[in-house]
Amino acid sequence: MLVKVCGMADSRNMLQVAALKPDMLGFVFYPASPRYAGYLPEKEVKTLDEDILRVAVFVNEEADKMEHTACRYGISVLQLHGNETPDLCREMRMRGFKVIKALGVETAGDFRMLPVYEKSCDWFLFDTKSKKYGGTGQKFSWSLLRAYRGELPFLLSGGIGVEDVERIEEVKENEKFAGVDLNSRFEKVPGVKDTGLLIRFMEKLKH
C-alpha cells in the first residue's frame, strides 16, 4: 500500500518526513494554497531519495508551465486537482510524466465521469467534494468506494488520521485501492507535518 504525504512546504520538515521513507511526497504548486511549495529550494527537492516519488500538485495550470515547474524540481508525477480534461492528462503523460487525477466524491454518481480518464491517467485520487480547489480535511463516506468499478488504481484522501488505520483495512477489500494520501490531520501548521504522528500511523499500518 502506498503512503503519500502531501503539502510539503518547509525544507527542514521535508527532510524529516523523507527520512521516514514514504512512497510519495507531494508539493502543491497552486499559489492560493497555504501549502504552496514554490519557495522550496529546487536542489533540496531534486536530491531527495530516489525511491520517493515526488508529486507536483496543480490546479488548472497550462501544460508548459507544469512541465517547466516539474523539471525544475525533479518531479516525475503530476497530480491534477482542477477541471483538467482527459486530453490534457494524456498530453502530460506523452511528455513523460505519470498522472494522478483527483476527483471530489459526494455520491456514487460521481464515479460516472471516470471512464473518459482511464486511458489518460495512472491513478485516481478520491477526495471529499468541495466548491473550493484542494482538500477539505474532511472524509467522504468511504462506503461509496464499493461503487467504483474502474480499471485504474486509486489513492484515498480526505481527513485521514492515525485513528483510521482499521477502517483503511476495510477499504483494502477494493482490489483497485492503491494507498492513502495524508495531509492536514498530520500537521502542526499548514505545510509542516508532525513526524511523530506519521511514525505512529506507518507503524500501525505495518502491524
Side-chain angles (χ1 to χ4, degrees), residues 20-174:
L20 304 181
K21 305 293 186 182
D23 300 287
M24 298 177 170
L25 280 180
F27 302 89
V28 179
F29 292 98
Y30 177 50
S33 171
R35 300 171 182 86
Y36 180 62
Y39 303 109
L40 284 172
E42 298 168 15
K43 184 177 180 181
E44 290 186 8
V45 178
K46 291 180 87 169
T47 55
L48 289 171
D49 189 325
E50 291 183 358
D51 291 334
I52 300 174
L53 285 176
R54 295 179 286 281
V55 182
V57 180
F58 295 102
V59 175
N60 299 330
E61 191 55 87
E62 296 177 357
D64 287 345
K65 187 169 182 180
M66 287 193 286
E67 181 177 17
H68 177 69
T69 300
C71 290
R72 280 172 47 212
Y73 285 90
I75 288 172
S76 60
V77 184
L78 309 181
Q79 179 176 314
L80 307 184
H81 231 287
N83 302 314
E84 298 85 6
T85 65
D87 286 342
L88 179 60
C89 296
R90 190 178 304 114
E91 178 178 349
M92 300 318 295
R93 290 183 81 198
M94 291 178 65
R95 295 189 186 205
F97 298 99
K98 291 187 179 297
V99 174
I100 301 170
K101 182 67 185 82
L103 172 77
V105 178
E106 186 175 34
T107 70
D110 291 315
F111 296 124
R112 293 174 188 159
M113 65 173 289
L114 296 181
V116 296
Y117 285 93
E118 289 206 333
K119 296 190 182 302
S120 306
C121 304
D122 298 276
W123 296 275
F124 288 129
L125 182 142
F126 298 147
D127 200 350
T128 304
K129 181 174 282 189
S130 170
K131 293 180 180 180
K132 298 180 180 180
Y133 295 117
T136 65
Q138 303 295 319
K139 294 181 184 68
F140 63 91
S141 176
W142 292 356
S143 63
L144 294 172
L145 295 170
R146 299 190 192 105
Y148 176 63
R149 297 287 186 268
E151 294 298 319
L152 282 187
F154 68 88
L155 299 172
L156 178 61
S157 185
I160 298 172
V162 174
E163 70 280 4
D164 292 312
V165 170
E166 290 76 14
R167 291 188 63 200
I168 290 167
E169 291 297 321
E170 297 175 9
V171 178
K172 286 183 179 179
E173 295 175 5
N174 189 313

Side-chain angles (χ1 to χ4, degrees), residues 184-198:
S184 61
R185 296 289 298 279
F186 291 86
E187 286 187 325
K188 297 179 178 179
V189 296
V192 179
K193 302 300 183 280
D194 185 324
T195 54
L197 288 179
L198 287 171

